[in-house]
Amino acid sequence: MDARALLSFIDASPSPFHACATVAARLEAEGYREVSDHSAFPTDPGRYVLRRGGSLVAWAVAPQHQAADGFRIIGAHTDSPNLRLRPHPDTGGYGYRQLAVEVYGGALLNSWLDRDLGLSGRIVVRGPHGPVTQLILIDRPIARVPQLAIHLDREVSTTGLLLNPQEHLRPIWGLGDHHQGEVADVVAAEAGLSVDSILGMDLMLHDLTPSTFIGEHQDLISAPRLDNLCSSWAGMEALVAATDPAAPTTAQIPILALFDHEEVGSSSDRGAASPLLEAVTERIGLALGGGRDEHRRALAASWCCSADMAHATHPNYPERHEPGHIIDLDGGPVLKINSNQRYATDALSGAVFVVACEQANVPLQRYAHRGDLPCGSTIGPITATRMGIATFDVGAPQLAMHSARELCAADEPIRYARAMTAFLAPA
Ligand code: ZN
């Protein structure tokens, strides 16, 4: 494993759809075979990957695996807060052509100002047997949201920057008068299609600055979407390592589940609150010849590692952190605990990760949120509630979560992936 691969992974994955395509390509290169959720599941042992929009589930069944053995699941999410194009994206005024956007998730809006932005996502086009999806990636600077000059916003230095998501975030993408349909024209030309073949568009903006190592000793990673492509990448690497044909067979069936829509609550046909993972686990058991009882026994025997990034203690704002739970940016993976179940970890499920970190020989940190600040949540409690699987929440430490540009330590992604590998393949 090499952290440089994480940087390429992030840069190749500006949208959840691209993240799934990048993971699927990596897994297929390792011998995984793509299956469709509307076809019968293969009954042969093997390594499989299934995609549904911006979500993906991959698993590996060995000849020894039985339907009631249970699963070791790594869950993460593919989406990140950003700016997304509205259904009628063409707008403008005062001599500018602009894009109508909607804020997706809890973005730090200031971080989207004064950046050169590209466009990505998917379109749906007419196919011979009905609508088909096609990925779109415009990786050149086509848009920018300019900040208001300080001379016109004197309060910015005293009361702070206030951005109205409706008024202040419309990117400029050219000069002149805007025309209805011009975004679709550009996308159609990019895709090599006629504009009337496009039936729908799910498009979003991304920062074009390449991910990079920074710091005098290059011991930091500056990148967009570390939350949560760092966890998605680490989970993918762990699955590849644990299911290498040369590695011993895992006692339980390893699964990687990457979900879209975590940043907006996980409720969709493919989010963590959807039936996607439960359906896949049940169908894996059915394909192995098991029935309803074996499925329930398998879930009762399973463990889920819900992997989402963690807050390192910010050196400029130490008072925002729980003083007894300081998190070092370079101190190892983080087990997240919240007695109000914002995180799913308890002493028993957490112990599985303690043992995995011991086996991987990586240090472990424990995160707890301040009592006077509302605590965020993630897919762990949702998956646990939906499936009744014993779950723990973990993360790699980072700063600037939900900024268009985030920061982590250069050594952490590898430690994180090694701990997850040990979880999937306990000694
Ligand atoms: Zn996250």
Side-chain angles (χ1 to χ4, degrees):
M1 292 179 207
D2 183 338
R4 280 174 297 188
L6 168 64
L7 307 192
S8 321
F9 177 85
I10 290 172
D11 291 344
S13 308
S15 78
F17 311 111
H18 287 85
C20 288
T22 312
V23 173
R26 167 87 165 105
L27 293 178
E28 283 167 30
E30 296 292 331
Y32 280 71
R33 187 151 68 80
E34 187 140 14
V35 298
S36 155
D37 55 359
H38 24 102
S39 303
F41 270 22
T43 52
D44 302 334
R47 295 178 289 166
Y48 303 103
V49 55
L50 179 151
R51 270 191 280 171
R52 187 180 181 95
S55 295
L56 175 150
V57 185
W59 65 97
V61 177
Q64 300 92 314
H65 285 142
Q66 304 284 323
D69 285 350
F71 306 95
R72 290 227 166 196
I73 301 163
I74 293 173
H77 67 90
T78 57
D79 60 323
S80 302
N82 59 13
L83 305 180
R84 300 198 168 187
L85 294 200
R86 289 187 179 278
H88 294 154
D90 309 292
T91 189
Y94 303 94
Y96 297 98
R97 295 160 59 224
Q98 290 176 274
L99 300 170
V101 293
E102 184 175 21
V103 176
Y104 174 83
L108 281 170
L109 299 181
N110 59 298
S111 69
W112 286 85
L113 303 176
D114 301 330
R115 288 181 184 276
D116 298 335
L117 303 172
L119 190 69
S120 76
R122 70 173 183 183
I123 56 173
V124 176
V125 301
R126 293 178 210 280
H129 309 293
V132 292
T133 59
Q134 184 172 331
L135 294 185
I136 292 292
L137 176 57
I138 300 179
D139 238 348
R140 55 178 193 276
I142 62 162
R144 186 166 172 125
V145 188
Q147 186 169 353
L148 185 63
I150 193 167
H151 318 80
L152 306 176
D153 188 12
R154 289 295 185 189
E155 302 80 41
V156 72
S157 312
T158 48
T159 49
L161 178 64
L162 267 182
L163 293 167
N164 178 312
Q166 175 67 26
E167 303 294 336
H168 299 152
L169 295 172
R170 279 190 297 268
I172 291 170
W173 77 313
L175 298 173
D177 297 328
H178 72 279
H179 302 286
Q180 289 309 314
E182 61 188 2
V183 169
D185 285 341
V186 168
V187 170
E190 197 70 29
L193 299 163
S194 69
V195 71
D196 55 3
S197 66
I198 298 180
L199 300 169
M201 304 194 289
D202 293 325
L203 296 174
M204 57 203 77
L205 295 158
H206 62 280
D207 175 26
L208 285 167
T209 316
S211 303
T212 183
F213 294 99
I214 63 163
E216 201 242 323
H217 299 296
Q218 304 276 286
D219 48 5
L220 297 157
I221 291 173
S222 160
R225 302 182 295 281
L226 286 170
D227 173 17
N228 195 17
L229 294 184
C230 181
S231 303
S232 298
W233 176 83
M236 174 186 78
E237 290 299 322
L239 183 70
V240 167
T243 61
D244 186 295
T249 300
T250 56
Q252 295 182 293
I253 295 169
I255 294 182
L256 174 68
L258 304 179
F259 296 107
D260 199 351
H261 297 144
E262 188 273 346
E263 298 292 359
V264 293
S266 295
S267 290
S268 72
D269 70 327
R270 54 190 181 271
S274 78
L276 176 64
L277 181 59
E278 185 173 17
V280 170
T281 53
E282 182 173 15
R283 295 182 66 194
I284 292 170
L286 292 169
L288 282 171
R292 189 93 184 134
D293 190 56
E294 283 80 5
H295 175 55
R296 288 287 151 194
R297 285 163 55 200
L299 296 187
S302 297
W303 298 97
C304 178
C305 168
S306 159
D308 199 354
M309 298 300 274
H311 298 295
T313 301
H314 196 304
N316 299 349
Y317 302 86
E319 75 285 358
R320 299 298 173 99
H321 300 270
E322 209 299 300
H325 298 82
I326 296 304
I327 299 295
D328 180 352
L329 190 69
D330 191 34
V334 178
L335 189 58
K336 305 182 212 174
I337 299 139
N338 180 267
S339 58
N340 292 301
Q341 294 300 303
R342 303 295 289 166
Y343 302 126
T345 315
D346 64 14
L348 180 60
S349 62
V352 173
F353 195 64
V354 173
V355 170
C357 287
E358 284 175 1
Q359 184 182 320
N361 198 24
V362 299
L364 170 69
Q365 309 186 82
R366 286 179 173 81
Y367 179 83
H369 208 64
R370 279 187 73 88
D372 52 5
L373 279 177
C375 184
S377 190
T378 177
I379 61 166
I382 296 168
T383 316
T385 303
R386 165 99 213 166
M387 302 191 55
I389 292 179
T391 300
F392 51 93
D393 279 290
V394 301
Q398 73 160 95
L399 295 174
M401 191 179 287
H402 288 197
S403 170
R405 196 79 186 176
E406 300 175 325
L407 191 70
C408 74
D411 289 341
E412 286 302 326
I414 301 294
R415 288 181 182 146
Y416 196 28
R418 282 175 41 212
M420 286 191 211
T421 306
F423 162 67
L424 290 180

